[in-house]
């Protein structure tokens, strides 16, 4: 494989993970460096359904959706590298550790999620990741999370 970093646009993302509106929380994944790292991008818009109730007078992206967006970025990174397009990859949370929120994420923000694999390799069921979400270089969230990759048998 070349040293060129890979990426996934919204169409590729939808071919790898099953999430759809209103729970598809990433717009693209860039800088995919094998199984090591990737960056997810989420353009936060005012018309997202969670803002109706969180909170009507001051819309703030719920922290759990930020962590979910980091997990979706991780799944796409692994899926791209494993060639999981159109293969019904399912990924399940197993744990979230050391999660901290530092800044509100609001409509108009571009949330960038830097993901690093701390454990996992092709063929492994259980993977661990470290993620940092930021807006304009300011940390919004950090977390470590564990996920199980349910790779369909061929």
């Amino acid at each position: 494989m070349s040293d060129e970093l890979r990426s996934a646009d919204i169409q590729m993302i939808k071919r790898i993970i099953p999430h759809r509106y209103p729970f598809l929380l990433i717009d693209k994944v860039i800088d995919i460096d094998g199984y090591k790292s990737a960056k997810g991008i989420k353009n936060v818009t005012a018309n997202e359904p969670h803002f109706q109730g969180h909170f009507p007078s001051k819309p703030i992206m719920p922290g759990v959706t930020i962590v979910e967006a980091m997990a979706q970025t991780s799944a796409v990174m692994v899926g791209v590298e494993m060639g999981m397009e159109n293969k019904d990859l399912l990924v399940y949370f197993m744990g979230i550790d050391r999660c901290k929120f530092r800044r509100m994420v609001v409509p108009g923000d571009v949330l960038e999620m830097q993901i690093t694999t701390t454990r996992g390799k092709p063929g492994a069921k259980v993977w661990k990741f470290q993620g940092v979400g930021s807006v304009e270089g300011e940390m919004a969230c950090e977390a470590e999370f564990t996920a199980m990759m349910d790779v369909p048998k061929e």
Side-chain angles (χ1 to χ4, degrees), residues 40 66 70 100-103 105 110-115 130-143:
I66 296 170
M70 290 193 290
K100 297 199 178 359
F101 300 99
R102 305 286 185 204
R103 176 200 193 280
V105 178
V110 176
L111 177 62
E112 295 185 359
M113 296 151 291
Q114 186 62 50
I115 305 300
Q130 197 273 331
V132 174
S134 61
V135 176
E136 296 180 359
E138 186 179 353
M139 183 188 294
C141 175
E142 62 182 330

Side-chain angles (χ1 to χ4, degrees), residues 5 26 112 144:
L5 299 178
I26 53 177
E112 295 185 359
E144 297 173 4

